Amino acid sequence: MLLVLLILLSKYDGNPLSEWHSSLTPSTIIAVVTQLVQMALLFPIASSLSQLQWLWYRTKKPLKDISYFKDASTGLTSSLILLYRHHASLSVWLGVICMILQALFGAFAQQALSLPIRQISVSENGTISRSITYDTPLGSEQIGGVTSPEVVSGMKLAILTGLLRDGVNASEVQGNSVTGNCTFGVFVSMGICASVEDVTSTIVADCEDTEHSSGISDDICSYTVPALRNTHPFSNVRTRAGEDSHSVLYMGAGMIHVKTDLVESSKTPINDTLIEFYIIYVPDLTTLAQNGGKTNYTGKLAALKATLSLCVHIYNSSMQSGITNTTLQARETHLPWRHGTAANDNKKYGYAVFVPKTSETLFMNPMSLNGLSVWLITSTFNGTVTMMPPPAQSPNPHHLNTISNNSAVIFSTLASKQVATHLYGNEGGIKVPDGVNALLKVLENVAMSMSNALRITSTVSTIQIGTSYTMEIYFQVSWLWLIVPILSIPITLTFLALTILRSWQNNNPAWKSCRLAALQALSPRIKARLGGGMAENSELEEVVRREGVEVRLRRVEGARWELGDE
């Protein structure tokens, strides 16, 4: 029967569960077979263990040992007790090993078969968008009074999403697969990368001496950074509480010149920067409440330089159960973008960059790049944040409200509000502990959202082909688990044969494995000693356990065997 089970397992090993057509589950069949085999093995094991008692009493031994031999055939624990008391006997060792194998037989057989899940490929391929050539319709629009190439609505929405929502990731670009399961592998795509640098040390002051009507002279200083030399967002002025506002943050950029001369040499490097803007801000708002009513920014400002640039993203993407999981493995920045011919149209020139890791060339329409740059500069990353001082009758007229108190804070743009909220938000709206990382968090969200848009808004569709697969349950046989069930049979037969052989060699009486037979074989003298020979068998067993009687097996007249103490 075990052989039939082995043949069955061998036939279905590695096959899908769909090929099993029986109403009985494989586990049920294994359970039934193992139970039948265990029952078939238990009888010879139990009989052989009981038969060992006749061999044991060839010499004088305690009568109570009868119970140990009989109990050994009932379970593993009793077998181990017998081994502990009579460990010198090879037959006892072999019998106990048989009982251990018997106890493990069913559990090991059940572990041999498992039903794991595996992936199998299907004929239909999956796809996911990526950006190799980015091009948009060549329309135009007025942006901040400047006519520039139109930015598609999908990209505008992506910039807004990046500003308003944290945690933007590459998995938001969904893949397509008929099975909902697909592996796309590693691929490159055009992306946007962000960087932030602390440039507080570059803040410059322009000061002039101003004489008031009272005859008092003040040094009126304005503060900016070299790239914004024509803009002075912070000035020291005399302000009475409640009459004016304090400047808290300024954000602005100089125009990035994007080259559009399409006949330049292909060896000419191209600036890959979309926007470079600066933020000048007050890192500790409590300093504005000092110096009476005078707003003094001297030594109280910080500045950050922020950049969004073209780069290359390296992704690893897959789909499972319809959910796309895309991991950004690496970013390639500061690549040598140059003028080149787009592969899809030999008459159109573009900005091109070669990616050595995948031996691919990426293209960007310079007009699309120009429009995107103008949009970021004029319509996104600019604005101011001002704060109204408390009324003059306030108990503390020089105490400022926090950034979170919107009734006292004026944000000129959405971007200025989001940037200020991230800068001051972690310190109760008063201080900026780490301006670089706070701003970088905002920009990385915007950059990832724009990178996603590059993959889906281009008029030149580029996709990554993936291998679609479906999930399949199959039979898996772990043959090592069957070692114990297989070994149980030859070891049990060996134990049985050894017991028969030893019984024959010692001229033992007929095979009688029942404990009652041993008790009935007691000599009249032993029976009288244990209760006059009139006790019931159950009572006799209890007396045997208590009394320290030693007996041995001997032949008496009439070819009869008995256990006596002579």
Side-chain angles (χ1 to χ4, degrees):
M1 189 169 292
L2 182 60
L3 180 61
V4 174
L5 177 62
L6 294 177
I7 294 174
L8 184 66
L9 292 177
S10 177
K11 177 182 177 181
Y12 282 95
D13 186 19
N15 291 359
L17 181 62
S18 57
E19 294 184 5
W20 183 268
H21 303 296
S22 173
S23 58
L24 295 176
T25 65
S27 297
T28 301
I29 292 178
I30 292 176
V32 171
V33 172
T34 54
Q35 188 66 32
L36 292 175
V37 174
Q38 282 180 287
M39 292 171 59
L41 295 177
L42 183 60
F43 178 76
I45 294 174
S47 299
S48 297
L49 281 172
S50 297
Q51 179 65 14
L52 289 179
Q53 68 188 347
W54 301 108
L55 297 174
W56 181 250
Y57 285 111
R58 297 297 296 182
T59 60
K60 210 167 189 179
K61 296 292 190 304
L63 182 58
K64 63 180 180 180
D65 287 354
I66 292 177
S67 297
Y68 297 136
F69 281 97
K70 180 60 178 71
D71 293 340
S73 62
T74 62
L76 180 59
T77 303
S78 299
S79 299
L80 294 175
I81 293 175
L82 176 63
L83 180 63
Y84 172 74
R85 293 183 174 275
H86 309 298
H87 56 273
S89 173
L90 175 62
S91 298
V92 171
W93 269 99
L94 195 58
V96 172
I97 291 175
C98 288
M99 289 301 297
I100 293 174
L101 294 177
Q102 171 75 6
L104 299 177
F105 191 103
F108 274 60
Q110 289 289 345
Q111 290 294 325
L113 180 65
S114 59
L115 297 173
I117 300 176
R118 65 185 175 188
Q119 301 175 359
I120 58 170
S121 59
V122 297
S123 57
E124 296 86 353
N125 291 324
T127 60
I128 192 169
S129 297
R130 62 174 179 150
S131 179
I132 297 299
T133 301
Y134 188 74
D135 193 10
T136 55
L138 297 180
S140 62
E141 61 181 333
Q142 290 287 324
I143 304 175
V146 177
T147 301
S148 68
E150 182 181 5
V151 179
V152 295
S153 58
M155 181 60 75
K156 294 177 182 178
L157 178 61
I159 296 171
L160 184 63
T161 300
L163 281 173
L164 294 177
R165 181 164 61 85
D166 291 336
V168 179
N169 60 78
S171 298
E172 295 177 17
V173 177
Q174 294 294 307
N176 295 289
S177 172
V178 292
T179 63
N181 301 289
C182 187
T183 55
F184 301 104
V186 177
F187 61 91
V188 301
S189 182
M190 195 179 307
I192 307 296
C193 290
S195 64
V196 177
E197 179 185 354
D198 190 322
V199 292
T200 302
S201 61
T202 67
I203 295 177
V204 295
D206 291 332
C207 300
E208 60 177 341
D209 184 62
T210 302
E211 184 175 333
H212 297 278
S213 58
S214 60
I216 300 176
S217 295
D218 282 337
D219 285 335
I220 305 300
C221 296
S222 298
Y223 303 90
T224 189
V225 292
L228 303 177
R229 197 63 192 239
N230 295 327
T231 304
H232 297 82
F234 291 87
S235 298
N236 293 340
V237 296
R238 179 173 295 279
T239 303
R240 293 182 180 179
E243 292 185 357
D244 205 348
S245 61
H246 296 283
S247 294
V248 172
L249 180 147
Y250 173 83
M251 178 168 54
M255 179 66 70
I256 299 298
H257 175 63
V258 180
K259 298 179 181 180
T260 57
D261 185 357
L262 303 182
V263 293
E264 289 193 42
S265 169
S266 61
K267 297 182 179 180
T268 304
I270 297 173
N271 189 351
D272 60 359
T273 302
L274 288 175
I275 181 174
E276 180 181 280
F277 66 97
Y278 295 83
I279 295 177
I280 306 174
Y281 65 99
V282 182
D284 186 354
L285 299 183
T286 60
T287 61
L288 298 183
Q290 302 170 3
N291 305 314
K294 183 178 181 179
T295 303
N296 187 352
Y297 294 105
T298 305
K300 300 172 183 176
L301 295 173
L304 300 173
K305 174 186 174 182
T307 305
L308 290 177
S309 304
L310 287 177
C311 63
V312 174
H313 285 179
I314 301 176
Y315 298 109
N316 190 353
S317 186
S318 62
M319 283 185 70
Q320 188 167 2
S321 301
I323 300 175
T324 302
N325 181 24
T326 302
T327 303
L328 176 59
Q329 291 191 328
R331 297 182 177 94
E332 298 284 347
T333 58
H334 307 297
L335 296 174
W337 288 82
R338 301 177 184 278
H339 287 278
T341 303
N344 61 299
D345 186 352
N346 290 330
K347 296 181 179 180
K348 183 187 294 183
Y349 291 86
Y351 291 168
V353 66
F354 179 73
V355 184
K357 183 166 290 187
T358 57
S359 299
E360 293 180 282
T361 301
L362 277 59
F363 297 92
M364 164 67 82
N365 185 336
M367 299 304 294
S368 300
L369 180 65
N370 192 18
L372 188 54
S373 179
V374 172
W375 177 266
L376 290 171
I377 292 170
T378 61
S379 299
T380 307
F381 290 107
N382 56 67
T384 60
V385 178
T386 55
M387 179 176 290
M388 299 298 297
Q393 63 273 20
S394 171
N396 187 359
H398 303 302
H399 175 73
L400 289 172
N401 291 284
T402 65
I403 288 294
S404 59
N405 187 348
N406 292 332
S407 62
V409 181
I410 300 173
F411 305 99
S412 65
T413 63
L414 174 63
S416 65
K417 179 178 180 180
Q418 294 303 111
V419 169
T421 300
H422 279 78
L423 287 176
Y424 295 95
N426 294 331
E427 289 294 325
I430 295 294
K431 297 180 180 180
V432 179
D434 187 354
V436 171
N437 285 326
L439 180 58
L440 186 61
K441 181 179 179 181
V442 179
L443 288 189
E444 285 185 339
N445 272 296
V446 175
M448 180 52 70
S449 188
M450 292 177 66
S451 298
N452 291 344
L454 288 177
R455 297 169 60 186
I456 59 177
T457 60
S458 175
T459 56
V460 181
S461 176
T462 309
I463 58 175
Q464 173 73 8
I465 303 297
T467 302
S468 293
Y469 61 89
T470 186
M471 309 305 291
E472 178 185 72
I473 302 175
Y474 69 101
F475 293 100
Q476 184 179 67
V477 179
S478 301
W479 295 101
L480 288 177
W481 285 105
L482 292 172
I483 292 178
V484 168
I486 293 174
L487 289 179
S488 297
I489 295 177
I491 292 177
T492 299
L493 294 177
T494 301
F495 176 51
L496 177 61
L498 181 62
T499 304
I500 294 173
L501 178 62
R502 290 195 60 192
S503 296
W504 176 76
Q505 289 175 340
N506 288 277
N507 196 25
N508 266 27
W511 194 285
K512 295 182 182 293
S513 59
C514 179
R515 177 163 49 183
L516 295 179
L519 293 176
Q520 290 299 325
L522 293 175
S523 67
R525 177 176 172 177
I526 297 298
K527 288 183 179 179
R529 182 177 172 183
L530 296 178
M534 301 302 294
E536 297 291 337
N537 285 325
S538 59
E539 297 175 357
L540 195 59
E541 291 180 22
E542 291 299 323
V543 175
V544 167
R545 290 180 182 273
R546 293 196 307 267
E547 296 290 334
V549 180
E550 291 189 351
V551 297
R552 73 180 180 86
L553 185 66
R554 63 191 179 89
R555 185 187 294 272
V556 295
E557 61 274 357
R560 189 171 62 85
W561 293 84
E562 71 175 17
L563 292 170
D565 59 351
E566 291 83 1

